[in-house]
mmCIF file of all heavy atoms in Angstrom:
data_model
loop_
_atom_site.group_PDB
_atom_site.id
_atom_site.type_symbol
_atom_site.label_atom_id
_atom_site.label_comp_id
_atom_site.label_asym_id
_atom_site.label_seq_id
_atom_site.Cartn_x
_atom_site.Cartn_y
_atom_site.Cartn_z
ATOM 1 N N GLY A 115 -90.458 58.464 83.610
ATOM 2 C CA GLY A 115 -91.852 58.860 83.480
ATOM 3 C C GLY A 115 -92.177 59.366 82.098
ATOM 4 O O GLY A 115 -93.206 59.016 81.510
ATOM 5 N N ILE A 116 -91.296 60.190 81.552
ATOM 6 C CA ILE A 116 -91.496 60.702 80.199
ATOM 7 C C ILE A 116 -91.524 59.549 79.205
ATOM 8 O O ILE A 116 -92.319 59.525 78.266
ATOM 9 C CB ILE A 116 -90.392 61.708 79.832
ATOM 10 C CG1 ILE A 116 -90.535 62.973 80.685
ATOM 11 C CG2 ILE A 116 -90.439 62.055 78.354
ATOM 12 C CD1 ILE A 116 -89.363 63.916 80.577
ATOM 13 N N VAL A 117 -90.673 58.567 79.409
ATOM 14 C CA VAL A 117 -90.589 57.424 78.496
ATOM 15 C C VAL A 117 -91.784 56.495 78.650
ATOM 16 O O VAL A 117 -92.438 56.145 77.659
ATOM 17 C CB VAL A 117 -89.285 56.638 78.740
ATOM 18 C CG1 VAL A 117 -89.305 55.313 77.960
ATOM 19 C CG2 VAL A 117 -88.077 57.466 78.336
ATOM 20 N N GLY A 118 -92.078 56.056 79.882
ATOM 21 C CA GLY A 118 -92.997 54.935 80.002
ATOM 22 C C GLY A 118 -94.015 54.974 81.114
ATOM 23 O O GLY A 118 -94.480 53.903 81.543
ATOM 24 N N ALA A 119 -94.380 56.145 81.630
ATOM 25 C CA ALA A 119 -95.417 56.190 82.662
ATOM 26 C C ALA A 119 -96.702 55.544 82.143
ATOM 27 O O ALA A 119 -97.074 55.711 80.982
ATOM 28 C CB ALA A 119 -95.686 57.628 83.086
ATOM 29 N N ILE A 120 -97.363 54.811 83.018
ATOM 30 C CA ILE A 120 -98.577 54.090 82.626
ATOM 31 C C ILE A 120 -99.663 55.066 82.163
ATOM 32 O O ILE A 120 -99.849 56.128 82.745
ATOM 33 C CB ILE A 120 -99.096 53.252 83.811
ATOM 34 C CG1 ILE A 120 -98.088 52.154 84.163
ATOM 35 C CG2 ILE A 120 -100.450 52.622 83.493
ATOM 36 C CD1 ILE A 120 -98.434 51.380 85.404
ATOM 37 N N GLN A 121 -100.359 54.665 81.153
ATOM 38 C CA GLN A 121 -101.427 55.495 80.578
ATOM 39 C C GLN A 121 -102.797 55.035 81.067
ATOM 40 O O GLN A 121 -103.017 53.857 81.340
ATOM 41 C CB GLN A 121 -101.358 55.400 79.046
ATOM 42 C CG GLN A 121 -102.221 56.388 78.303
ATOM 43 C CD GLN A 121 -102.022 56.273 76.801
ATOM 44 O OE1 GLN A 121 -102.612 55.406 76.165
ATOM 45 N NE2 GLN A 121 -101.196 57.138 76.249
ATOM 46 N N ASN A 122 -103.697 56.010 81.177
ATOM 47 C CA ASN A 122 -105.103 55.733 81.522
ATOM 48 C C ASN A 122 -105.263 55.068 82.889
ATOM 49 O O ASN A 122 -106.079 54.156 83.059
ATOM 50 C CB ASN A 122 -105.765 54.859 80.450
ATOM 51 C CG ASN A 122 -106.137 55.637 79.206
ATOM 52 O OD1 ASN A 122 -106.530 56.801 79.287
ATOM 53 N ND2 ASN A 122 -105.985 55.017 78.051
ATOM 54 N N ASN A 123 -104.490 55.526 83.855
ATOM 55 C CA ASN A 123 -104.684 55.043 85.225
ATOM 56 C C ASN A 123 -105.188 56.156 86.143
ATOM 57 O O ASN A 123 -105.104 56.044 87.370
ATOM 58 C CB ASN A 123 -103.388 54.446 85.779
ATOM 59 C CG ASN A 123 -102.249 55.456 85.863
ATOM 60 O OD1 ASN A 123 -102.329 56.552 85.304
ATOM 61 N ND2 ASN A 123 -101.196 55.090 86.561
ATOM 62 N N SER A 124 -105.694 57.245 85.520
ATOM 63 C CA SER A 124 -106.244 58.392 86.269
ATOM 64 C C SER A 124 -105.251 58.938 87.287
ATOM 65 O O SER A 124 -105.631 59.392 88.366
ATOM 66 C CB SER A 124 -107.552 57.986 86.986
ATOM 67 O OG SER A 124 -108.509 57.551 86.064
ATOM 68 N N TYR A 125 -103.982 58.887 86.917
ATOM 69 C CA TYR A 125 -102.942 59.317 87.851
ATOM 70 C C TYR A 125 -101.745 59.844 87.058
ATOM 71 O O TYR A 125 -101.387 59.297 86.017
ATOM 72 C CB TYR A 125 -102.501 58.135 88.723
ATOM 73 C CG TYR A 125 -101.391 58.458 89.693
ATOM 74 C CD1 TYR A 125 -101.672 59.037 90.932
ATOM 75 C CD2 TYR A 125 -100.064 58.187 89.379
ATOM 76 C CE1 TYR A 125 -100.659 59.336 91.834
ATOM 77 C CE2 TYR A 125 -99.042 58.479 90.264
ATOM 78 C CZ TYR A 125 -99.343 59.053 91.495
ATOM 79 O OH TYR A 125 -98.342 59.353 92.372
ATOM 80 N N GLY A 126 -101.125 60.900 87.558
ATOM 81 C CA GLY A 126 -99.857 61.368 87.000
ATOM 82 C C GLY A 126 -99.918 61.740 85.540
ATOM 83 O O GLY A 126 -100.836 62.439 85.086
ATOM 84 N N ILE A 127 -98.939 61.244 84.788
ATOM 85 C CA ILE A 127 -98.799 61.592 83.379
ATOM 86 C C ILE A 127 -98.891 60.339 82.519
ATOM 87 O O ILE A 127 -98.997 59.231 83.023
ATOM 88 C CB ILE A 127 -97.452 62.304 83.116
ATOM 89 C CG1 ILE A 127 -96.275 61.359 83.403
ATOM 90 C CG2 ILE A 127 -97.346 63.572 83.940
ATOM 91 C CD1 ILE A 127 -94.931 61.899 82.978
ATOM 92 N N SER A 128 -98.809 60.546 81.209
ATOM 93 C CA SER A 128 -98.732 59.440 80.262
ATOM 94 C C SER A 128 -97.344 59.407 79.647
ATOM 95 O O SER A 128 -96.820 60.442 79.215
ATOM 96 C CB SER A 128 -99.776 59.594 79.155
ATOM 97 O OG SER A 128 -99.569 58.632 78.136
ATOM 98 N N GLY A 129 -96.743 58.242 79.601
ATOM 99 C CA GLY A 129 -95.457 58.103 78.937
ATOM 100 C C GLY A 129 -95.605 58.112 77.433
ATOM 101 O O GLY A 129 -96.697 57.911 76.894
ATOM 102 N N VAL A 130 -94.501 58.354 76.740
ATOM 103 C CA VAL A 130 -94.499 58.284 75.274
ATOM 104 C C VAL A 130 -94.772 56.856 74.818
ATOM 105 O O VAL A 130 -95.507 56.619 73.865
ATOM 106 C CB VAL A 130 -93.149 58.785 74.725
ATOM 107 C CG1 VAL A 130 -93.059 58.551 73.224
ATOM 108 C CG2 VAL A 130 -92.955 60.254 75.047
ATOM 109 N N ALA A 131 -94.166 55.902 75.511
ATOM 110 C CA ALA A 131 -94.363 54.481 75.212
ATOM 111 C C ALA A 131 -94.901 53.805 76.476
ATOM 112 O O ALA A 131 -94.165 53.096 77.176
ATOM 113 C CB ALA A 131 -93.058 53.838 74.758
ATOM 114 N N PRO A 132 -96.172 54.017 76.801
ATOM 115 C CA PRO A 132 -96.689 53.614 78.109
ATOM 116 C C PRO A 132 -96.798 52.116 78.337
ATOM 117 O O PRO A 132 -97.122 51.691 79.447
ATOM 118 C CB PRO A 132 -98.072 54.275 78.145
ATOM 119 C CG PRO A 132 -98.464 54.420 76.708
ATOM 120 C CD PRO A 132 -97.188 54.694 75.981
ATOM 121 N N SER A 133 -96.524 51.311 77.321
ATOM 122 C CA SER A 133 -96.578 49.859 77.492
ATOM 123 C C SER A 133 -95.196 49.215 77.467
ATOM 124 O O SER A 133 -95.085 47.991 77.468
ATOM 125 C CB SER A 133 -97.458 49.228 76.403
ATOM 126 O OG SER A 133 -98.797 49.665 76.509
ATOM 127 N N CYS A 134 -94.144 50.022 77.419
ATOM 128 C CA CYS A 134 -92.798 49.453 77.396
ATOM 129 C C CYS A 134 -92.398 48.991 78.794
ATOM 130 O O CYS A 134 -93.078 49.257 79.784
ATOM 131 C CB CYS A 134 -91.788 50.471 76.872
ATOM 132 S SG CYS A 134 -91.356 51.775 78.055
ATOM 133 N N LYS A 135 -91.275 48.281 78.866
ATOM 134 C CA LYS A 135 -90.700 47.886 80.141
ATOM 135 C C LYS A 135 -89.523 48.812 80.455
ATOM 136 O O LYS A 135 -88.708 49.122 79.582
ATOM 137 C CB LYS A 135 -90.207 46.439 80.085
ATOM 138 C CG LYS A 135 -91.323 45.406 80.039
ATOM 139 C CD LYS A 135 -92.104 45.355 81.338
ATOM 140 C CE LYS A 135 -93.116 44.217 81.335
ATOM 141 N NZ LYS A 135 -93.898 44.153 82.595
ATOM 142 N N ILE A 136 -89.448 49.237 81.705
ATOM 143 C CA ILE A 136 -88.386 50.140 82.151
ATOM 144 C C ILE A 136 -87.298 49.333 82.848
ATOM 145 O O ILE A 136 -87.562 48.608 83.805
ATOM 146 C CB ILE A 136 -88.932 51.210 83.114
ATOM 147 C CG1 ILE A 136 -89.950 52.112 82.401
ATOM 148 C CG2 ILE A 136 -87.800 52.031 83.710
ATOM 149 C CD1 ILE A 136 -89.373 52.967 81.311
ATOM 150 N N MET A 137 -86.078 49.447 82.357
ATOM 151 C CA MET A 137 -84.916 48.814 82.985
ATOM 152 C C MET A 137 -84.113 49.905 83.692
ATOM 153 O O MET A 137 -83.629 50.840 83.059
ATOM 154 C CB MET A 137 -84.036 48.125 81.931
ATOM 155 C CG MET A 137 -82.709 47.601 82.476
ATOM 156 S SD MET A 137 -81.593 47.044 81.160
ATOM 157 C CE MET A 137 -82.338 45.479 80.724
ATOM 158 N N SER A 138 -83.989 49.790 85.000
ATOM 159 C CA SER A 138 -83.237 50.788 85.767
ATOM 160 C C SER A 138 -81.780 50.376 85.866
ATOM 161 O O SER A 138 -81.461 49.294 86.367
ATOM 162 C CB SER A 138 -83.843 50.933 87.161
ATOM 163 O OG SER A 138 -83.126 51.894 87.911
ATOM 164 N N VAL A 139 -80.898 51.250 85.389
ATOM 165 C CA VAL A 139 -79.444 51.071 85.520
ATOM 166 C C VAL A 139 -78.926 52.312 86.231
ATOM 167 O O VAL A 139 -78.930 53.408 85.671
ATOM 168 C CB VAL A 139 -78.761 50.891 84.153
ATOM 169 C CG1 VAL A 139 -77.261 50.716 84.329
ATOM 170 C CG2 VAL A 139 -79.357 49.697 83.408
ATOM 171 N N SER A 140 -78.514 52.152 87.484
ATOM 172 C CA SER A 140 -78.256 53.316 88.336
ATOM 173 C C SER A 140 -76.779 53.636 88.489
ATOM 174 O O SER A 140 -75.919 52.753 88.502
ATOM 175 C CB SER A 140 -78.883 53.092 89.721
ATOM 176 O OG SER A 140 -78.409 51.896 90.315
ATOM 177 N N MET A 141 -76.511 54.938 88.613
ATOM 178 C CA MET A 141 -75.180 55.468 88.904
ATOM 179 C C MET A 141 -75.338 56.577 89.940
ATOM 180 O O MET A 141 -76.337 57.297 89.926
ATOM 181 C CB MET A 141 -74.503 56.008 87.642
ATOM 182 C CG MET A 141 -74.308 54.972 86.546
ATOM 183 S SD MET A 141 -73.373 55.592 85.108
ATOM 184 C CE MET A 141 -74.581 56.706 84.382
ATOM 185 N N ASP A 142 -74.362 56.726 90.826
ATOM 186 C CA ASP A 142 -74.443 57.717 91.897
ATOM 187 C C ASP A 142 -73.670 58.974 91.503
ATOM 188 O O ASP A 142 -72.492 59.117 91.800
ATOM 189 C CB ASP A 142 -73.886 57.130 93.198
ATOM 190 C CG ASP A 142 -74.083 58.059 94.390
ATOM 191 O OD1 ASP A 142 -74.631 59.162 94.195
ATOM 192 O OD2 ASP A 142 -73.688 57.684 95.506
ATOM 193 N N PHE A 143 -74.357 59.905 90.842
ATOM 194 C CA PHE A 143 -73.697 61.129 90.394
ATOM 195 C C PHE A 143 -73.288 62.014 91.565
ATOM 196 O O PHE A 143 -72.344 62.790 91.454
ATOM 197 C CB PHE A 143 -74.619 61.901 89.451
ATOM 198 C CG PHE A 143 -74.901 61.196 88.155
ATOM 199 C CD1 PHE A 143 -76.138 60.617 87.921
ATOM 200 C CD2 PHE A 143 -73.929 61.103 87.172
ATOM 201 C CE1 PHE A 143 -76.401 59.959 86.732
ATOM 202 C CE2 PHE A 143 -74.190 60.441 85.971
ATOM 203 C CZ PHE A 143 -75.429 59.869 85.753
ATOM 204 N N ASN A 144 -73.977 61.925 92.673
ATOM 205 C CA ASN A 144 -73.640 62.744 93.842
ATOM 206 C C ASN A 144 -72.287 62.358 94.436
ATOM 207 O O ASN A 144 -71.569 63.198 94.979
ATOM 208 C CB ASN A 144 -74.727 62.602 94.914
ATOM 209 C CG ASN A 144 -76.068 63.132 94.451
ATOM 210 O OD1 ASN A 144 -76.141 64.192 93.844
ATOM 211 N ND2 ASN A 144 -77.131 62.393 94.724
ATOM 212 N N ASP A 145 -71.956 61.094 94.346
ATOM 213 C CA ASP A 145 -70.712 60.586 94.926
ATOM 214 C C ASP A 145 -69.583 60.546 93.909
ATOM 215 O O ASP A 145 -68.446 60.233 94.247
ATOM 216 C CB ASP A 145 -70.946 59.190 95.506
ATOM 217 C CG ASP A 145 -69.800 58.717 96.376
ATOM 218 O OD1 ASP A 145 -69.261 59.542 97.143
ATOM 219 O OD2 ASP A 145 -69.429 57.532 96.282
ATOM 220 N N GLY A 146 -69.890 60.847 92.654
ATOM 221 C CA GLY A 146 -68.887 60.773 91.599
ATOM 222 C C GLY A 146 -68.942 59.435 90.900
ATOM 223 O O GLY A 146 -68.965 58.381 91.544
ATOM 224 N N VAL A 147 -68.984 59.464 89.598
ATOM 225 C CA VAL A 147 -69.086 58.252 88.793
ATOM 226 C C VAL A 147 -67.807 58.094 87.984
ATOM 227 O O VAL A 147 -67.402 59.000 87.249
ATOM 228 C CB VAL A 147 -70.303 58.307 87.847
ATOM 229 C CG1 VAL A 147 -70.379 57.043 87.005
ATOM 230 C CG2 VAL A 147 -71.582 58.501 88.645
ATOM 231 N N SER A 148 -67.156 56.953 88.105
ATOM 232 C CA SER A 148 -65.914 56.708 87.369
ATOM 233 C C SER A 148 -66.231 56.313 85.934
ATOM 234 O O SER A 148 -67.342 55.864 85.619
ATOM 235 C CB SER A 148 -65.102 55.603 88.039
ATOM 236 O OG SER A 148 -65.730 54.345 87.862
ATOM 237 N N MET A 149 -65.265 56.461 85.057
ATOM 238 C CA MET A 149 -65.443 56.057 83.663
ATOM 239 C C MET A 149 -65.709 54.562 83.565
ATOM 240 O O MET A 149 -66.491 54.117 82.717
ATOM 241 C CB MET A 149 -64.216 56.455 82.852
ATOM 242 C CG MET A 149 -64.033 57.956 82.721
ATOM 243 S SD MET A 149 -62.557 58.408 81.792
ATOM 244 C CE MET A 149 -62.719 60.198 81.754
ATOM 245 N N GLN A 150 -65.068 53.783 84.442
ATOM 246 C CA GLN A 150 -65.295 52.345 84.442
ATOM 247 C C GLN A 150 -66.739 52.021 84.791
ATOM 248 O O GLN A 150 -67.356 51.127 84.205
ATOM 249 C CB GLN A 150 -64.361 51.662 85.435
ATOM 250 C CG GLN A 150 -64.459 50.128 85.423
ATOM 251 C CD GLN A 150 -63.980 49.537 84.107
ATOM 252 O OE1 GLN A 150 -62.795 49.619 83.792
ATOM 253 N NE2 GLN A 150 -64.884 48.939 83.346
ATOM 254 N N GLN A 151 -67.318 52.754 85.750
ATOM 255 C CA GLN A 151 -68.709 52.527 86.127
ATOM 256 C C GLN A 151 -69.658 52.827 84.975
ATOM 257 O O GLN A 151 -70.625 52.100 84.745
ATOM 258 C CB GLN A 151 -69.071 53.372 87.350
ATOM 259 C CG GLN A 151 -68.425 52.909 88.640
ATOM 260 C CD GLN A 151 -68.699 53.857 89.805
ATOM 261 O OE1 GLN A 151 -69.446 54.825 89.669
ATOM 262 N NE2 GLN A 151 -68.088 53.583 90.944
#
Side-chain angles (χ1 to χ4, degrees):
I116 292 170
V117 170
I120 295 174
Q121 191 177 82
N122 283 324
N123 62 347
S124 300
Y125 178 84
I127 64 171
S128 171
V130 173
S133 296
C134 75
K135 289 292 186 180
I136 296 294
M137 172 189 284
S138 180
V139 180
S140 56
M141 300 185 289
D142 186 359
F143 294 106
N144 296 317
D145 192 40
V147 179
S148 71
M149 293 179 177
Q150 184 66 67
Q151 289 174 5

